[in-house]
């Protein structure tokens, strides 16, 4: 290797991490109620793979730094304006909530 850390995807065992939230989300986007368990499982697999891939890419961007930062995730999402805008919106909202907490 040429001074780069090797970051690889990790396989996760299926624990049905999003089993409660996904059917509601799917219904909100037009799926029937109740959602088919197979559909929920497929969507969960896609979601976990996306999260895993995004984290691995952010770790690659971070390189040899000991931490992955928010800016690393922003860099990974730079080519998807909708997702990047949502990240910016959530960060601004988080800052607003933190400042409101200091008032109380």
């Amino acid at each position: 290797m040429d001074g780069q850390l090797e970051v690889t995807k990790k396989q996760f065992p299926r624990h049905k991490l999003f089993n409660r939230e996904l059917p509601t989300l799917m219904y909100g986007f037009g799926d029937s109620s109740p959602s088919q368990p197979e559909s929920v499982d497929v969507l969960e697999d896609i979601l976990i793979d996306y999260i895993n891939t995004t984290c691995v890419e952010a770790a690659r961007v971070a390189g040899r730094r000991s931490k992955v930062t928010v800016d690393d995730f922003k860099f990974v999402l730079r080519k998807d304006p909708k997702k990047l805008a949502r990240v910016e919106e959530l960060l601004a909202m988080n800052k607003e909530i933190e400042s409101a907490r200091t008032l109380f």
Side-chain angles (χ1 to χ4, degrees), residues 6-19:
E6 185 174 334
V7 182
T8 57
K9 286 174 70 172
K10 181 179 178 185
Q11 285 293 82
F12 290 97
R14 289 193 47 78
H15 288 294
K16 298 194 183 270
L17 297 171
F18 302 102
N19 214 25

Side-chain angles (χ1 to χ4, degrees), residues 1 7 14 19-20 36 47 61 87 93-94 99 104:
M1 288 192 282
V7 182
R14 289 193 47 78
N19 214 25
R20 287 192 327 227
Q36 294 291 324
L47 178 61
V61 168
V87 167
M93 197 180 312
N94 188 41
S99 67
F104 293 105

Side-chain angles (χ1 to χ4, degrees), residues 31-98:
D31 194 19
S32 62
S33 181
S35 296
Q36 294 291 324
E38 296 84 11
S39 298
V40 175
D41 290 345
V42 168
L43 190 57
E44 183 178 41
D45 288 342
I46 292 168
L47 178 61
I48 289 172
D49 185 54
Y50 174 76
I51 293 170
N52 195 8
T53 302
T54 304
C55 290
V56 167
E57 287 300 314
R60 284 190 183 130
V61 168
R64 293 202 175 268
R65 280 185 281 129
S66 62
K67 285 187 180 179
V68 175
T69 65
V70 172
D71 289 331
D72 298 326
F73 283 100
K74 287 172 151 181
F75 184 80
V76 170
L77 297 174
R78 72 190 183 283
K79 294 182 181 175
D80 192 336
K82 285 185 179 180
K83 289 180 187 144
L84 185 58
R86 181 67 175 151
V87 167
E88 295 288 347
E89 179 185 347
L90 290 172
L91 289 171
M93 197 180 312
N94 188 41
K95 189 180 279 188
E96 206 173 296
I97 290 169
E98 290 298 320

